[in-house]
């Protein structure tokens, strides 16, 4: 008769684990040689230790989630290279060109109300009063157009050569239209220097760096049309809600000078390893938008309006960048955009109630630059009426002496070290201590059964 090895009870497994575990204190609980009161004492000590460890680990996790980043102000400015901000020129209107386009389309005897329609289409800002009145309804005006508005906008907008002339960086001339790259925006076609949002891969870049060797940089441009001049970070884009302080309204026969100050944000090399939710910002390369190639708060606000336009009117503005032509509004959609102007243009916070507008839950850019206007100056200049233009000079008032630094104070490695130190201090555990739990409750019982079976097998017969 073959002997059968006794079955292993779960209580035996637990007892063996407690006796041999490297977690401090638990072997005293399993040792029958100790008095019951002593074993209860050690049970309380182990529970308190684990509870204290859990509290500190939870605090470490919460700090990692909510306070992983800190800001400091750096003042070691002697060796800094400061990038000049992006300068974007967007034509405001050009009635002479509109009249010329209208004459080419409909002849010199056309209805002059259509020139106002062309003006609204070419420089669309969310409202289209004349277009709705002239081209929508039971009796639209003769020669009205009802779709393909982006085509007419391109006809109206001036080329770079007709917009800019005589450009200088630190008094050194450069080719305006080589470095001012066309940029599609929700305001229409603009021209931008030092921007990454032009949609052109590897565009020619002017070396617009200021440091202790070059001194404060300045850009001077001759503008040939009535325009808006935007001073922005390299990842920002002109849009309907750009702060007025960042915009110069340029008219003919005026010389403008603007002095600005800049505070950059420098990021710790480990910042990219921290999640977006923790650092509360996005790098330009972490783009989740389809209206522009790089992320920024201003580009995100454009995305908000595009999504809201599609939701309300089932189409978007004909000037919206990177849009499928089939999704751009015809005259019916344009009427819808005009009707819901406030809902589609004004940005409101998500906790606002009772107000019309777009709720944009947009994070700032991690490289967002702080640009402040120090001084504005303008002077009338007389030119030949046949040769109208204005001059714009934008420069740094001084080299920056401060910048912000985003530091990672609680990275993943810090979290691991904190948790490891806490468990080591309170319960004397290491990573292998938790591997022991898996071993004693899975592999070890099977090993014990095999050993006992081997001991109960009858001996092999001898020859």
């Amino acid at each position: 008769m073959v002997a059968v090895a006794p079955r292993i009870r779960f209580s035996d497994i637990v007892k063996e684990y407690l006796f041999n575990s490297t977690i401090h204190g638990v072997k005293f609980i399993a040792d029958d040689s100790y008095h019951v009161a002593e074993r209860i004492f050690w049970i309380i000590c182990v529970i308190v230790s684990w509870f204290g460890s859990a509290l500190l680990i939870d605090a470490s996790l919460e700090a990692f989630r909510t306070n992983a980043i800190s800001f400091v102000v750096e003042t070691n400015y002697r060796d800094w290279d400061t990038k000049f901000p992006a300068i974007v020129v967007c034509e405001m209107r050009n009635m002479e060109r509109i009249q010329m386009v209208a004459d080419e389309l409909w002849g010199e005897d056309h209805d002059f109300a259509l020139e106002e329609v062309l003006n609204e289409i070419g420089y669309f800002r969310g409202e289209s009063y004349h277009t709705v009145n002239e081209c929508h309804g039971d009796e639209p005006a003769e020669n009205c157009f009802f779709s393909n508005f982006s085509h007419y906008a391109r006809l109206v907008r001036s080329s770079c050569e007709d917009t800019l002339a005589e450009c200088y960086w630190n008094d050194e001339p450069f080719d305006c239209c080589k470095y001012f790259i066309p940029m599609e925006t929700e305001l229409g076609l603009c021209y931008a220097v030092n921007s990454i949002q032009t949609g052109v891969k590897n565009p020619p870049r002017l070396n617009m760096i200021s440091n202790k060797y070059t001194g404060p940089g300045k850009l001077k441009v001759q503008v040939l049309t009535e325009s808006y001049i935007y001073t922005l970070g390299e990842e920002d884009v002109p849009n309907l809600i750009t702060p007025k302080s960042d915009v110069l309204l340029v008219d003919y026969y005026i010389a403008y000078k603007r002095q600005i100050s800049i505070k950059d944000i420098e990021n710790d090399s480990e910042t990219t390893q921290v999640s977006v939710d923790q650092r509360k910002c996005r790098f330009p390369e972490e783009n989740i938008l389809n209206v522009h190639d790089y992320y920024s708060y201003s580009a995100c606000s454009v995305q908000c309006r595009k999504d809201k336009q599609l939701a309300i009117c089932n189409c978007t503005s004909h000037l919206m960048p990177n849009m499928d032509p089939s999704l751009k509004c015809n005259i019916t959609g344009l009427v819808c955009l005009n009707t819901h102007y406030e809902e589609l243009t004004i940005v409101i916070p998500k906790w606002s109630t009772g107000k019309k507008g777009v709720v944009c839950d947009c994070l700032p850019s991690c490289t967002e630059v702080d640009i402040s206007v120090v001084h504005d100056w303008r002077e009338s200049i007389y030119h030949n009426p046949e040769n109208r233009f204005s001059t714009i000079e934008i420069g740094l008032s001084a080299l920056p002496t401060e910048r912000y630094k985003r530091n990672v104070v609680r990275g993943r490695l810090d979290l691991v070290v904190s948790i490891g130190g806490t468990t080591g201090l309170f319960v004397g555990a290491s990573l292998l201590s938790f591997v022991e739990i898996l071993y004693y409750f899975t592999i070890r019982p099977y090993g014990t059964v095999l050993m006992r079976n081997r001991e109960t097998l009858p001996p092999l017969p001898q020859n």
Side-chain angles (χ1 to χ4, degrees):
M1 181 175 180
V2 179
V4 179
R7 296 178 61 185
I8 298 177
R9 294 176 299 176
F10 181 75
S11 60
D12 294 334
I13 298 174
V14 173
K15 192 170 184 178
E16 184 182 10
Y17 166 72
L18 294 177
F19 261 117
N20 297 284
S21 175
T22 55
I23 296 177
H24 291 182
V26 296
K27 68 178 182 179
F28 301 113
I29 300 172
D31 194 339
D32 296 332
S33 65
Y34 285 87
H35 191 271
V36 174
E38 292 179 283
R39 296 166 72 184
I40 292 174
F41 168 77
W42 280 109
I43 289 173
I44 294 173
C45 288
V46 169
I47 291 174
V48 170
S49 295
W50 275 103
F51 182 71
S53 177
L55 288 179
L56 287 184
I57 290 173
D58 182 66
S60 297
L61 290 170
E62 181 64 20
F64 176 71
R65 286 192 297 265
T66 60
N67 295 304
I69 298 293
S70 72
F71 274 94
V72 296
V73 177
E74 289 190 326
T75 56
N76 55 333
Y77 55 86
R78 291 180 60 84
D79 298 322
W80 291 349
D81 286 335
T82 302
K83 290 183 180 180
F84 200 73
I87 305 299
V88 186
V89 181
C90 297
E91 189 175 45
M92 180 176 61
R93 61 175 172 263
N94 190 336
M95 294 309 297
E96 289 78 8
R97 183 169 179 82
I98 288 172
Q99 183 179 0
M100 181 188 70
V101 171
D103 289 345
E104 292 177 356
L105 291 174
W106 307 300
E108 295 184 0
D109 295 331
H110 61 267
D111 184 351
F112 291 104
L114 290 178
E115 293 184 8
E116 291 297 336
V117 174
L118 278 176
N119 183 48
E120 284 183 344
I121 295 300
Y123 307 99
F124 185 66
R125 296 293 186 274
E127 291 184 293
S128 47
Y129 174 81
H130 292 283
T131 306
V132 171
N133 284 336
E134 295 295 330
C135 299
H136 185 258
D138 297 331
E139 296 182 3
E142 186 180 1
N143 295 323
C144 265
F145 44 95
F146 308 102
S147 62
N148 201 18
F149 296 127
S150 55
H151 167 71
Y152 292 95
R154 284 193 296 270
L155 292 178
V156 168
R157 305 292 285 238
S158 300
S159 65
C160 178
E161 289 75 13
D162 293 332
T163 305
L164 303 172
E166 297 188 17
C167 298
Y168 299 86
W169 168 249
N170 286 342
D171 297 323
E172 292 291 329
F174 65 90
D175 185 345
C176 295
C177 294
K178 179 180 178 181
Y179 296 101
F180 274 90
I181 310 298
M183 173 192 288
E184 295 288 345
T185 74
E186 69 169 340
L187 305 178
L189 184 65
C190 301
Y191 301 98
V193 66
N194 220 29
S195 173
I196 62 174
Q197 295 281 24
T198 58
V200 178
K201 291 184 178 179
N202 301 318
R205 297 292 295 268
L206 202 61
N207 183 24
M208 301 176 74
I209 297 294
S210 299
N211 52 39
K212 63 183 179 181
Y213 303 106
T214 65
K218 64 179 180 180
L219 177 72
K220 187 175 181 180
V221 181
Q222 189 179 97
V223 182
L224 307 179
T225 63
E226 296 175 90
S227 301
Y228 296 109
I229 311 295
Y230 294 84
T231 307
L232 307 169
E234 65 174 5
E235 73 275 13
D236 283 314
V237 294
N239 61 86
L240 292 172
I241 62 168
T242 300
K244 291 184 179 180
S245 59
D246 295 338
V247 187
L248 270 177
L249 176 58
V250 175
D251 206 346
Y252 295 120
Y253 309 129
I254 304 290
Y256 298 86
K257 287 186 179 180
R258 167 167 282 188
Q259 290 185 325
I260 60 174
S261 66
I262 291 178
K263 284 186 179 179
D264 289 323
I265 294 181
E266 182 75 8
N267 290 284
D268 190 299
S269 58
E270 296 182 4
T271 307
T272 54
Q273 301 174 17
V274 178
S275 71
V276 173
D277 290 336
Q278 288 173 283
R279 53 179 138 96
K280 302 291 190 296
C281 67
R282 285 186 178 275
F283 283 96
E285 296 78 15
E286 297 173 331
N287 193 26
I288 56 173
L289 316 174
N290 53 41
V291 290
H292 288 286
D293 294 334
Y294 294 93
Y295 182 88
S296 66
Y297 178 85
S298 54
C300 182
S301 71
V302 176
Q303 182 79 35
C304 279
R305 280 187 289 282
K306 187 216 79 168
D307 294 340
K308 191 71 177 287
Q309 288 173 1
L310 286 172
I312 294 178
C313 299
N314 203 32
C315 63
T316 70
S317 160
H318 56 279
L319 297 182
M320 190 64 67
N322 292 330
M323 282 302 299
D324 188 328
S326 64
L327 294 177
K328 294 184 177 181
C329 292
N330 57 17
I331 188 64
T332 304
L334 205 65
V335 171
C336 178
L337 296 182
N338 186 72
T339 303
H340 299 278
Y341 171 74
E342 290 187 2
E343 296 175 62
L344 298 171
T345 305
I346 302 172
V347 174
I348 59 174
K350 57 184 177 182
W351 60 83
S352 178
T353 58
K355 293 183 179 180
K356 294 182 178 180
V358 184
V359 175
C360 289
D361 191 13
C362 291
L363 294 173
S365 167
C366 293
T367 58
E368 192 172 83
V369 61
D370 182 12
I371 302 173
S372 302
V373 177
V374 176
H375 180 66
D376 272 338
W377 176 87
R378 64 182 64 197
E379 180 184 26
S380 297
I381 53 178
Y382 176 77
H383 296 292
N384 185 338
E386 300 298 324
N387 186 24
R388 299 180 300 178
F389 63 88
S390 58
T391 60
I392 312 297
E393 183 179 304
I394 300 175
L396 298 179
S397 60
L399 291 175
T401 56
E402 292 181 346
R403 71 179 178 187
Y404 303 113
K405 178 70 179 290
R406 182 182 282 109
N407 290 316
V408 177
V409 294
R410 293 180 180 87
R412 291 188 179 94
L413 180 60
D414 301 296
L415 179 65
V416 171
V417 170
S418 176
I419 293 175
T422 299
T423 54
L425 173 66
F426 278 82
V427 297
S430 68
L431 182 62
L432 290 180
S433 299
F434 296 98
V435 175
E436 285 178 354
I437 298 174
L438 179 66
Y439 167 73
Y440 274 101
F441 287 90
T442 56
I443 301 174
R444 177 64 179 167
Y446 289 104
T448 302
V449 169
L450 291 176
M451 290 295 295
R452 291 184 179 180
N453 285 337
R454 182 179 300 175
E455 291 172 358
T456 56
L457 287 175
L460 293 175
Q462 299 295 325
N463 292 330

